[in-house]
Structure formats: C-alpha cells, structure tokens
Amino acid sequence: MAMDRTMTAVAEQIRDFAIDNGDWHGTREELTGEVPLLNNVLDSVGLVELVSLIEHDFGIEVGADDLEPANFATIDTVVAFILRRQGG
C-alpha cells in the first residue's frame, strides 16, 4: 500500500513537471501515465530539465546509459525508472 502512494506521488510530480514545462494543451486528467512524452509533450530541452529534476529531487544520478527512450517515454516509464533506481 505504501508503494502505491509512493508511485502515485512520483507520478503526480512528473505530471506537474510535464504540464508546467512541456507542450501540453489538454487537461490534467488527459495526461495519463500512458501518454507519450517524448516529442509530444517534452522536447529535448524539456527532457534535460526532467533529468535535472530527477537528479535533484530524487537523488538519482542519471547517466548517459540511462538516456534511452524506454526510460522516458511516458509518465509510467519515468516513474518505473525512478523507483527502480531508488531500489523500490
């Protein structure tokens, strides 16, 4: 149960970031965990800013090997990446 709250909190933080810093014109509810982020909501600058947020807010060092689309494709994949790197 605690993991669900953690996942939800992380997802909400990533969603907030995408809405505030990305090119999202829909409603908050429409930006689900499955909506493609790359080249849809976040451009290359937005991706760099997202990586910076992950490093700063979650204490995760994001290396060059981590910068693959599978880790940043959707809110769900970003959350999974963060939790995996935190050992969750």
Side-chain angles (χ1 to χ4, degrees):
M1 193 73 85
M3 179 61 76
D4 290 340
R5 284 195 300 272
T6 301
M7 289 178 65
T8 300
V10 172
E12 288 304 310
Q13 186 169 352
I14 301 305
R15 182 173 290 106
D16 289 344
F17 173 85
I19 290 169
D20 293 344
N21 299 285
D23 190 28
W24 180 252
H25 300 290
T27 66
R28 178 179 185 77
E29 292 74 27
E30 291 172 326
L31 186 54
T32 65
E34 297 83 29
V35 171
L37 293 178
L38 302 178
N39 301 316
N40 185 34
V41 178
L42 299 176
D43 59 12
S44 59
V45 173
L47 178 59
V48 169
E49 291 172 345
L50 176 59
V51 167
S52 179
L53 172 114
I54 290 168
E55 290 182 333
H56 180 268
D57 289 9
F58 298 98
I60 296 170
E61 184 175 336
V62 180
D65 291 346
D66 298 319
L67 294 176
E68 53 186 71
N71 289 330
F72 298 94
T74 66
I75 291 172
D76 287 348
T77 60
V78 174
V79 170
F81 170 74
I82 292 168
L83 295 178
R84 188 171 58 250
R85 290 296 302 274
Q86 288 183 328

